[in-house]
């Protein structure tokens, strides 16, 4: 099992029922649309980066790689944050994700 962030592990211990319900949302959302796993991960990178959810950026970059995304595709997803959210927003998760 992959190591999870401490806050997530703590939440999981305190509120397992809520976490279980929340974790069903992702797979349910994936089933309702035509996007493949790699594309969904790339979209989620942009969403996480734009939201400054830095742990999520790292997670989604790993998932994108596992789904076959290239480093160029991952960087492109990150670069798309700049026109909408600005360069400083882009730089925050880029530093964290190691891109």
């Amino acid at each position: 099992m992959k190591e999870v962030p401490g806050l997530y592990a703590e939440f999981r211990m305190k509120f397992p029922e809520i976490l279980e319900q929340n974790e069903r949302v992702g797979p349910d959302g994936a089933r309702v649309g035509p996007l493949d796993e790699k594309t969904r991960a790339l979209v989620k990178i942009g969403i996480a980066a734009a939201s400054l959810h830095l742990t999520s950026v790292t997670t989604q970059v790993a998932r994108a790689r596992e789904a076959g995304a290239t480093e160029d595709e991952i960087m492109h997803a990150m670069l798309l944050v700049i026109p909408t959210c600005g360069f400083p927003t882009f730089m925050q998760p880029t530093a964290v994700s190691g891109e």
Side-chain angles (χ1 to χ4, degrees):
M1 184 172 169
K2 293 181 182 177
E3 191 171 325
V4 297
L7 185 58
Y8 179 90
E10 185 178 325
F11 187 90
R12 180 174 54 195
M13 285 178 39
K14 288 184 179 179
F15 306 103
E17 301 86 14
I18 294 172
L19 186 61
E20 181 181 318
Q21 291 175 16
N22 182 64
E23 288 182 344
R24 281 196 303 260
V25 173
D28 289 348
R31 282 191 290 273
V32 300
L35 300 179
D36 62 32
E37 183 179 359
K38 180 175 86 169
T39 304
R40 289 191 311 266
L42 292 169
V43 169
K44 288 180 179 183
I45 288 170
I47 293 167
S51 302
L52 294 177
H53 293 174
L54 306 183
T55 301
S56 182
V57 171
T58 303
T59 299
Q60 294 307 326
V61 165
R63 287 184 181 167
R65 287 179 178 136
E66 290 171 7
T70 67
E71 297 306 306
D72 286 344
E73 290 171 321
I74 291 167
M75 181 51 73
H76 190 193
M78 296 288 294
L79 288 169
L80 293 173
V81 172
I82 295 171
T84 303
C85 301
F87 188 72
T89 301
F90 161 79
M91 290 303 295
Q92 286 287 335
T94 301
V96 171
S97 68
E99 298 302 315

